[in-house]
Amino acid sequence: MIRIVNVNALTQDLCEAETFARYDTEYRCVMTRTAEELIDAARDAEVVLFTFSAFTEEVFAALPKLRLLVRYGIGYDTVDLAAARAHGVTVCNAPTYGTIDVAEHAFALLQAANRKIPSFDAGVRAGSWGACAAYPSHRLRGAVLGLVGFGRIARNMARIAEGFGMETAAYDPFVSQEDAGKTRMLPLEELLRVSDYVSLHAPLNAENRHLIRRETLARMKDGAVLINTARGGLVDTAALADALKAGKLRAAGLDVFDAEPLPADSPLFALENVVLTPHTAWLTEESLVSLHEEVTDEVVRYLEGKPNLHVVNR
């Protein structure tokens, strides 16, 4: 019997229990928040599903039966991939389930920040007809959207932006101009210099943590707008807040943060030119179903002895 454990059971199973019951498995859902709880819950598991838990060398060493680790989501920066390889664990993610949903949310943040939607809404509710944030709005047609990272989500966002008459450019060292089509591929420094809107779509790793910091913010176009639906660690929050206060950046739209939930003393709360959402860019009814199906499919492949599709530590 193969034991499968979901160690971060955040949502109701949509297909997992019924699907796994067709095989010789034991499936459990628990909520663990510490390494000790994780190890205790998954000690006898051959397959582990997770969302936010950290899988370090210590954790892998304590789970000798573990062979497949699957994340409910795209990013896998909480997993020590080298340790996983050393312990013979295949790590998979779910890279396709919410790509259009995150792109739609990123563009919604761009529009909300640009057109000051939250401020107008607050003004109407407070009885101050016409009151709004002090910074200006601009027409999108003809503006340049710069995409940092040009994977599935960024490409969907580029298609949305083109429908609004925007020009699109991207920085991604792994994508050629031929592969990018209409989107211009640029070095990062040039992308930051020419873009009216910069949207982050890169994975987080040791090399690009705080990619957006004081030095890179200084290179951005005066009055640019920053959007982040990728990973909070890509942005130095204190530096961003200072740039927004000083007017270097006109506005920002953020769905992800260095610390989540966003701490009560975050400087972002005091700024009228930032739109905040709680790491929900992926969340639609359709994407939720797709997420569970994508994770379940990776497990079924393992159970049937087939190659996994979305392995991140080959």
Side-chain angles (χ1 to χ4, degrees):
M1 176 177 289
I2 294 177
R3 289 182 170 82
I4 305 168
V5 180
N6 180 347
V7 297
N8 302 144
L10 295 172
T11 59
Q12 178 184 356
D13 285 350
L14 298 182
C15 57
E16 290 90 329
E18 180 180 352
T19 301
F20 299 155
R22 300 171 193 159
Y23 302 85
D24 185 19
T25 63
E26 175 190 283
Y27 176 53
R28 292 189 301 120
C29 291
V30 295
M31 175 58 75
T32 67
R33 297 193 178 275
T34 67
E36 292 75 17
E37 291 173 348
L38 168 58
I39 291 167
D40 185 60
R43 196 177 303 278
D44 294 325
E46 191 170 328
V47 178
V48 169
L49 315 180
F50 79 106
T51 304
F52 58 80
S53 286
F55 285 81
T56 62
E57 163 63 33
E58 175 192 7
V59 171
F60 283 118
L63 302 177
K65 294 184 180 180
L66 180 60
R67 290 295 173 265
L68 179 66
L69 180 64
V70 188
R71 180 167 189 266
Y72 284 96
I74 298 174
Y76 43 88
D77 46 282
T78 63
V79 180
D80 183 334
L81 297 183
R85 281 193 296 270
H87 288 275
V89 179
T90 298
V91 182
C92 297
N93 67 344
T96 66
Y97 77 97
T99 52
I100 185 61
D101 310 271
V102 176
E104 289 175 351
H105 191 94
F107 202 80
L109 284 174
L110 185 155
Q111 290 183 296
N114 176 49
R115 297 304 295 265
K116 304 184 285 189
I117 302 300
S119 181
F120 278 120
D121 177 81
V124 171
R125 293 173 188 275
S128 302
W129 192 260
C132 65
Y135 67 92
S137 297
H138 289 289
R139 180 183 296 169
L140 295 181
R141 182 170 294 277
V144 177
L145 171 62
L147 301 156
V148 178
F150 201 56
R152 295 178 180 92
I153 295 171
R155 291 173 194 234
N156 278 320
M157 193 175 181
R159 284 190 282 271
I160 295 170
E162 288 162 6
F164 280 77
M166 301 182 77
E167 298 178 25
T168 59
Y171 164 73
D172 193 319
F174 303 104
V175 177
S176 68
Q177 182 59 69
E178 181 180 11
D179 186 41
K182 297 179 185 177
T183 297
R184 287 184 296 151
M185 299 304 297
L186 299 173
L188 179 60
E189 187 166 338
E190 185 177 355
L191 181 86
L192 296 177
R193 181 177 59 81
V194 303
S195 297
D196 301 290
Y197 301 83
V198 174
S199 189
L200 305 182
H201 299 283
L204 179 64
N205 54 48
E207 288 72 38
N208 66 13
R209 180 171 289 278
H210 287 181
L211 176 70
I212 302 301
R213 55 190 184 277
R214 297 189 190 280
E215 295 84 355
T216 44
L217 286 164
R219 296 188 187 111
M220 290 178 66
K221 196 171 187 178
D222 288 348
V225 174
L226 179 71
I227 306 298
N228 189 12
T229 55
R231 281 290 180 266
L234 293 171
V235 178
D236 180 335
T237 301
L240 173 61
D242 288 345
L244 289 164
K245 288 177 192 174
K248 169 63 181 177
L249 292 191
R250 180 163 55 96
L254 308 172
D255 184 58
V256 290
F257 310 91
D258 251 336
E260 297 181 357
L262 195 59
D265 62 351
S266 172
L268 297 173
F269 286 128
L271 301 174
E272 65 177 2
N273 55 341
V274 59
V275 180
L276 308 171
T277 56
H279 204 150
T280 50
W282 65 276
L283 185 55
T284 65
E285 292 298 305
E286 294 81 2
S287 71
L288 191 59
V289 171
S290 296
L291 173 60
H292 284 259
E293 289 176 344
E294 200 164 330
V295 169
T296 302
D297 181 62
E298 292 290 2
V299 178
V300 168
R301 286 179 169 276
Y302 175 81
L303 297 174
E304 295 181 349
K306 297 177 181 177
N308 287 103
L309 288 179
H310 303 299
V311 179
V312 299
N313 67 328
R314 291 189 189 280

